[in-house]
Amino acid sequence: MNILFVCTGNTCRSPMAAAIMEKIAIENDLDVLIESAGIFANVGERATDEAIRAMDKMGIDLTFHQTKPLTEELIEKSDLILTMTKAHKELLKPLAGDIVYTIKEYGGGSGDISDPYGGDQAEYDETAREIYDALVDAAERIADNADS
């Protein structure tokens, strides 16, 4: 399954989500390919320092991340697109149809992932935890779908 995580700038939330999902996938032997992109991302920027530190606290190296903009090609090769907010989802729905969900929605919850951009390290750490919790639930659904 090809999973695409989407946020605004691809400097914090979607790269953190992709990195966390990689870790969860390895721990749970899920057969997934994971990418991230931003609706308004530039090409080749780093993740924010705060996002890198938040991931480091979870034992995940995000220093390699380079931003990339969302493209039709990325959408077309995706089996599942998980966005950070309902607004992101609504922007993608006309292009992606029924494969786009918010992360929390896909895991059975509701609401948006908070945007830590411009905030302090504590906000990034909280957002990382929020993403992790939502992705644990999403991973259960992915595993269930793979088994059926």
Side-chain angles (χ1 to χ4, degrees):
M1 172 183 277
N2 292 328
I3 303 172
L4 176 64
F5 290 94
V6 177
C7 70
T8 305
N10 196 222
T11 59
C12 45
R13 289 178 292 177
S14 61
M16 288 195 298
I20 291 168
M21 189 67 210
E22 287 276 0
K23 181 176 179 153
I24 291 171
I26 290 168
E27 291 169 350
N28 293 281
D29 198 28
L30 298 176
D31 185 18
V32 293
L33 294 172
I34 300 165
E35 293 191 72
S36 71
I39 293 170
F40 299 111
N42 294 316
V43 175
E45 294 181 9
R46 290 175 35 117
T48 63
D49 291 340
E50 295 85 358
I52 290 170
R53 283 192 291 271
M55 291 295 88
D56 189 53
K57 292 175 183 178
M58 291 184 165
I60 298 170
D61 182 6
L62 197 61
T63 58
F64 64 88
H65 176 73
Q66 292 199 353
T67 59
K68 67 181 154 200
L70 182 64
T71 63
E72 281 188 42
E73 180 184 340
L74 283 171
I75 292 169
E76 288 170 5
K77 73 178 191 177
S78 297
D79 300 308
L80 175 64
I81 300 174
L82 297 176
T83 67
M84 302 303 123
T85 68
K86 187 174 182 192
H88 294 135
K89 175 188 167 183
E90 295 306 317
L91 276 171
L92 291 178
K93 198 98 174 122
L95 300 169
D98 63 356
I99 65 165
V100 62
Y101 303 84
T102 69
I103 288 179
K104 288 185 176 182
E105 172 189 24
Y106 192 76
S110 63
D112 293 342
I113 298 293
S114 58
D115 188 355
Y117 189 78
D120 63 16
Q121 189 62 53
E123 289 176 74
Y124 276 82
D125 294 345
E126 178 59 34
T127 298
R129 175 57 49 196
E130 184 182 5
I131 291 169
Y132 178 85
D133 291 344
L135 285 177
V136 166
D137 295 334
E140 287 181 27
R141 182 170 174 186
I142 291 166
D144 289 346
N145 290 343
D147 291 339
S148 57

